[in-house]
């Protein structure tokens, strides 16, 4: 069952009924001001940091779902009894005669019709300014005049979202607002330590306003039945403490057929510390620097231009890589939605979504480094900055803070470090950046450790220490020690947590000198290959040999201790016993080492790779994807940690943990099985699952982190959509390995491993300033590649870097 449809030419997903199984959300903002918005206008806004600078309130986990948003109430003033509804269905939930939500790239448009009044609101954030625009177009479809009241409403958050949700004894006292020239200003704490405030403005003269929530809603009423809307009149209330809101009331009369545009602006502004007040010495906000933006964006023509600029920005970004394959779901995801989701993960890492509160986690080290693999071709400049920011949170021993706050860019002490995989991703991300851009200067950038002045070292030295972090922590089987966790945050082999409420990731009961990770050994091998390549291009021969030596050592360790007979083992626990082995009762086979070991090239020559991937097909794959492990843990194992705390088939305990599925797709291409790779790709591709929307429940236009596994009570049910490494990795799997278009240090590789049924495909990809027009034709059933560059046959599968910089290169590929 579906709840909408894809409108590919307009780059939109169109939702045709408001009661989707979950709020289906979208993101707005690209620079500093951001917002999330659902298909019924729920969501919130923030400046830079969803925790520290939250502008509006949102109530997670509430009933009804999705409370708090950007609400517009419409009231028919001529109706005999009070008649009002929401232009986005929520929060009033009055049945509408027509409803449609279009989620586009960086904007959302919601159309509603009721009793001959049509509203269409487009919400978006212009590229450069710190505000969001709600452009309301209201039309009278009746053949008589319509007397309509419009109430637009937001509830302000008192900035720090954590404090806002917990510290009521203070917060109910501090709320402050100003209303001047019909503009509502939210200025809590501005009088003393803050120099920023929010505002809510409107292009039309106000009939009235409210800034006190209780005055607007009425005592003991909810957002679904505001008293002011029922009465058709605001009380011009001024909030003193309690809950400050911004409500504009506009009463308008529309003649038959008339359309009116009303613009609302919700914005954030900072004043200079010394120019906060006007007059000086008062407590009144100095508005001189904020008014120009407000006055400008109140003009419909300016709004239209900003909206068009946003559209061009996205079209331009998408144009960097466009494909045309026989598979609609691949085209749609690669060309539009997967790319878009990757940009969202770039902006938000794992901080703010419908499933991430914006409070709990900032920017993850391993998360952001992997996200970069997906967006580096789109915004190399931003990738460069991100790499340097991440490296600056690295510790001198090469380890890394697991997370940092986007506002301060400082490592998060609550969670700390010692996640064994974190530093290695920095190497892989930097390698991806080098291959994409050829910008070797980044390796000389001077970057501090732990953001401490005086500790600076070139980025290349950070990479070395990343590698050394693993080498300094090797366990009894010659494999890397697992630390608090490796990529799988829930495989906590040193935690032994038995106290409710403890964080499995931060509690360590063991000395950590026994439990080891096969996965990290394979990850190290991948990273070592890149270090060898990088060092050899820098002429650092000793480094090349050093990493080659340890790479070989880990290859041996995996051979002797990592192979279980029919698949790769996952780890060794604190007792030195294998995890992910046929010897285990539960958790006999895990997905991660099958993917990562084959990606690292292990077992490809001797048939173990094929065996391992056959075992994946047999034990882990089912119709909704590939589960993380099998059999799932049915009871809690003190020595395994959080993984066995989840009910079977959920999250890390045997759901389809989508992030790890593309590793298997890539591994399948490594052994030449394009059919298998694409099959797995389609099982979790959200667009390909659109028909299952009633089962899948999450948005059909973006990947979710997890899909209920075969042992769960709800196989196929997705959760935790949007902010997941799944976005970047699926993009890498389909474009770089199945389609085989892969940047390398010295050129662009084209080495497709596509299904037998594909007759070929076309792609346009920009690479180091040149447009590559690639056309692949299948002439036989195999994967052998013959490559022609501008008509000339190439000896390898790689297009060497051109000597001059041509605008365009034509690439013809024959496979068979
Ligand atoms: C989740 C993991 C996540 C971790 C982050 C766990 O509860 O299951 O997916 O990585 O929390 O702290
Ligand atoms: C989600 C986390 O964000 C990511 O860092 C981790 O690798 C996966 N969960 C697996 O546990």
């Amino acid at each position: 069952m579906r709840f909408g449809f894809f409108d590919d030419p307009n780059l939109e997903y169109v939702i045709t009924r408001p009661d989707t199984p979950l709020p289906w959300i979208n993101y707005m903002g690209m620079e500093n001001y951001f917002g999330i918005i659902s298909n019924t206008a729920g969501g919130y806004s923030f400046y830079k940091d969803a925790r520290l600078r939250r502008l509006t309130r949102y109530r997670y986990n509430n009933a009804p779902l999705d409370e708090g948003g950007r609400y517009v109430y419409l009231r028919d003033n001529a109706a005999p009894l009070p008649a009002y509804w929401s232009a986005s269905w929520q929060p009033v939930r009055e049945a509408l005669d027509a409803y449609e939500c279009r989620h586009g790239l960086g904007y959302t448009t919601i159309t509603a019709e009721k009793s001959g009044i049509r509203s269409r609101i487009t919400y978006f954030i212009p590229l450069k300014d710190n505000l969001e625009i709600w452009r309301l177009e209201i039309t009278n479809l009746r053949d008589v005049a319509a007397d309509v009241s419009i109430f637009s409403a937001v509830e302000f958050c008192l900035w720090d979202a954590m404090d806002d949700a917990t510290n009521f004894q203070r917060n109910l006292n501090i709320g402050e607002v100003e209303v001047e020239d019909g503009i509502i200003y939210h200025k809590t704490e501005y009088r003393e330590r803050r120099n920023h405030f929010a505002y809510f403005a409107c292009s039309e003269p106000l009939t009235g306003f409210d800034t006190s929530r209780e005055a607007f809603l009425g005592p003991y009423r909810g957002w679904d039945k505001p008293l002011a809307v029922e009465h058709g009149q605001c009380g011009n209330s001024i909030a003193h403490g309690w809950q400050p809101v911004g409500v504009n009331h506009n009463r308008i009369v529309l003649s038959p057929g008339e359309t009116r545009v009303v613009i609302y602006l919700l914005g954030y502004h900072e004043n200079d510390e010394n120019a906060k007040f006007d007059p000086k010495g008062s407590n009144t906000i100095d508005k001189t620097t904020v008014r120009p933006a407000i006055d400008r964006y109140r003009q419909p023509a300016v709004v239209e231009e900003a909206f068009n600029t946003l559209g061009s920005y996205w079209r331009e970004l998408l144009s960097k890589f466009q494909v045309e394959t026989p598979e609609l779901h691949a085209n749609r995801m690669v060309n539009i939605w997967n790319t878009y989701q990757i940009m969202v993960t770039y902006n938000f890492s794992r901080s703010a979504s419908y499933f991430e509160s914006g409070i709990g986690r900032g920017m993850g080290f391993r998360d952001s480094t992997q996200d970069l693999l997906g967006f580096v071709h789109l915004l190399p400049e931003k990738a460069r900055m991100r790499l340097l920011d991440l490296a600056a949170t690295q510790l001198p021993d090469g380890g890394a803070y697991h997370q940092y706050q986007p506002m301060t860019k400082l490592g998060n002490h609550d969670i700390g470090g010692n996640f064994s995989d974190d530093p290695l991703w920095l190497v892989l991300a930097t390698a991806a950046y080098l291959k994409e851009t050829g910008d070797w200067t980044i390796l000389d950038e001077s970057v501090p450790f732990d953001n401490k002045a005086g500790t600076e070292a070139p980025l290349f030295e950070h990479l070395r220490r990343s590698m050394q972090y693993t080498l300094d922590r090797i366990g009894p089987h010659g494999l890397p020690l697992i630390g608090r966790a490796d990529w799988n945050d829930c495989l906590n082999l040193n935690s032994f947590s038995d106290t409710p409420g403890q964080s499995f990731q931060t509690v360590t009961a063991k000395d950590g000198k026994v439990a080891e990770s096969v996965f990290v050994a394979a990850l190290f091998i991948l990273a070592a290959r890149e270090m060898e390549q990088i060092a050899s291009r820098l002429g650092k021969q000793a480094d090349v040999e050093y990493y080659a030596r340890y790479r070989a050592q880990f290859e041996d360790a995996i051979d002797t201790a990592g192979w279980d007979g029919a698949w790769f083992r996952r780890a060794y626990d604190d007792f030195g016993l294998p995890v992910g082995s046929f010897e285990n009762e539960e958790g006999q086979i895990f997905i991660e080492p099958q993917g990562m070991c084959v990606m690292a090239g292990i077992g490809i020559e001797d048939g173990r790779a094929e065996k391992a991937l056959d075992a994946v097909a047999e034990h882990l794959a089912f119709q909704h994807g590939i589960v993380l492990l099998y059999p799932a843990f049915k009871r809690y194992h003190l020595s395994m940690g959080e993984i066995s705390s989840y009910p079977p088939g959920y999250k890390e305990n045997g759901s389809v943990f989508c992030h790890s599925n593309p590793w298997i797709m890539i591994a399948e291409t490594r052994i030449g099985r394009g059919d298998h790779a694409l099959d797995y790709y389609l099982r979790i591709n959200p667009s390909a699952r659109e028909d299952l929307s009633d089962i899948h429940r999450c948005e059909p236009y973006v990947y979710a982190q997890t899909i209920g596994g075969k042992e769960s009570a709800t196989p196929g049910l997705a959760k935790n959509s949007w902010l997941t490494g799944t976005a970047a990795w699926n993009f890498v799997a389909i474009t770089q390995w199945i389609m085989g278009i892969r940047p390398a240090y010295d050129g662009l590789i084209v080495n497709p491993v596509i299904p037998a049924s594909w007759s070929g495909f076309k792609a346009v990809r920009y690479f180091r300033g040149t447009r590559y027009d690639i056309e692949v034709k299948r002439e036989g059933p195999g994967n052998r590649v013959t490559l022609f560059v501008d008509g000339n046959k190439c000896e390898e599968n790689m297009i060497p870097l051109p000597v001059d910089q041509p605008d365009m290169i034509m690439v013809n590929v024959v496979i068979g």
Side-chain angles (χ1 to χ4, degrees), residues 715-726:
L717 166 67
K719 284 184 195 141
N720 304 358
S721 55
W722 280 99
L723 300 183
T724 159
T726 311

Side-chain angles (χ1 to χ4, degrees), residues 54-69:
R54 183 85 61 103
L55 268 78
T56 56
R57 281 194 179 137
Y58 186 74
R59 292 179 177 78
Y60 278 93
N61 227 350
N62 207 11
L65 284 178
D66 200 22
E67 275 271 290

Side-chain angles (χ1 to χ4, degrees), residues 350 361 366-367 487-489 652 657 705:
R350 307 296 170 265
R361 303 202 273 163
R366 80 157 79 89
D367 298 323
W487 170 86
N488 189 329
D489 267 329
E652 279 85 344
F657 208 91
Q705 178 198 62

